[in-house]
Amino acid sequence: GESVGLHLPTLSVQEGDNSIINCAYSNSASDYFIWYKQESGKGPQFIIDIRSNMDKRQGQRVTVLLNKTVKHLSLQIAATQPGDSAVYFCAESNQGGKLIFGQGTELSVKP
Amino acid sequence: EAGVTQFPSHSVIEKGQTVTLRCDPISGHDNLYWYRRVMGKEIKFLLHFVKESKQDESGMPNNRFLAERTGGTYSTLKVQPAELEDSGVYFCASSRVEREQFFGPGTRLTVL
């Protein structure tokens, strides 16, 4: 069946370094992708999204890259800060509101 | 603007009991979604309301789960009777259009 998965369950980076979180998806019909950040005790918080007609989108300190050829999505966080420590989820959507989530990657930022 | 709110934040019940979870979406958001995360696995879709109508309920696990959204405002998700495997965190999300879903803090359900 369709699925979205993450390559690494945990990622540890030094404060100030750049972080890259990866995600693979299997449904080539998906046309919308989102990254969420979830802190302990809170719900997923929207970070950035990208539509399938784009391959790159930038936000504040974050960049999402979409490679439809290999069905790969990545989230880049520049100058990672302790406040970025959280679990990051990628999700995909296909012509509707239903989101399919990956397993999540836990990002740990060392001071 | 107030975010999505959910009640209760935690619920501990015994197997066979009934529990009702409530979600208040962001004002003006016609789309309301329920998701759940069970045993540390990925977050899974349960169903989608557009106003008071069920747009997609393909993720509802079985007939022990009943979701309602009377009047197209808040929604409830009732589990009756609850089973051990229903334990997890239940999230509600809302959106103005079928994108950019804003999530609530979740309700952690523990079935003993």
Side-chain angles (χ1 to χ4, degrees), chain A residues 27-91:
Chain A
N27 186 358
S28 57
S30 291
D31 62 353
Y32 179 65
F33 304 87
I34 317 97
W35 281 100
Y36 284 94
K37 170 187 180 183
Q38 187 179 13
E39 297 174 282
S40 181
K42 298 182 180 179
Q45 177 187 0
F46 176 92
I47 301 174
I48 191 168
D49 60 359
I50 188 168
R51 298 184 187 275
S52 59
N53 60 353
M54 304 172 66
D55 54 19
K56 179 179 180 179
R57 190 165 188 223
Q58 288 184 296
Q60 187 176 16
R61 283 200 307 118
V62 295
T63 301
V64 56
L65 299 177
L66 175 63
N67 185 332
K68 294 181 288 294
T69 302
V70 294
K71 298 177 190 169
H72 185 267
L73 190 69
S74 69
L75 176 70
Q76 300 178 0
I77 305 174
T80 313
Q81 303 168 1
D84 295 326
S85 294
V87 177
Y88 289 80
F89 293 94
C90 64

Side-chain angles (χ1 to χ4, degrees), chain A residues 32 36 38 43-44 93 97 99 102, chain B residues 35 42-43 91 99 101 103-104:
Chain A
Y32 179 65
Y36 284 94
Q38 187 179 13
S93 178
L99 293 177
Chain B
Y35 295 85
E42 65 270 22
I43 299 170
F91 293 106
R99 301 297 193 197
Q101 296 178 27
F103 281 76

Side-chain angles (χ1 to χ4, degrees), chain B:
Chain B
E1 180 182 79
V4 177
T5 58
Q6 293 186 244
F7 181 83
S9 56
H10 294 84
S11 180
V12 181
I13 61 173
E14 294 188 351
K15 176 182 173 182
Q17 290 186 322
T18 297
V19 63
T20 300
L21 314 181
R22 172 170 171 146
C23 168
D24 286 79
I26 294 172
S27 178
H29 283 193
D30 288 340
N31 295 279
L32 187 150
Y33 312 82
W34 284 98
Y35 295 85
R36 72 172 181 177
R37 190 178 186 201
V38 175
M39 292 186 63
K41 296 183 178 179
E42 65 270 22
I43 299 170
K44 287 200 170 181
F45 168 84
L46 295 177
L47 88 160
H48 171 202
F49 283 101
V50 177
K51 296 185 179 179
E52 68 275 9
S53 299
K54 293 177 184 176
Q55 180 79 9
D56 180 357
E57 52 183 329
S58 61
M60 293 290 266
N62 51 61
N63 59 10
R64 295 186 293 104
F65 289 75
L66 175 64
E68 295 180 321
R69 194 183 181 194
T70 306
T73 54
Y74 71 91
S75 175
T76 58
L77 179 64
K78 182 164 70 174
V79 185
Q80 178 183 31
E83 298 289 344
L84 299 179
E85 62 265 25
D86 301 332
S87 296
V89 182
Y90 288 77
F91 293 106
C92 176
S94 74
S95 67
R96 192 178 303 276
V97 295
E98 286 188 346
R99 301 297 193 197
E100 286 198 46
Q101 296 178 27
F102 296 90
F103 281 76
T107 292
R108 180 173 295 278
L109 175 64
T110 302
V111 183
L112 303 176

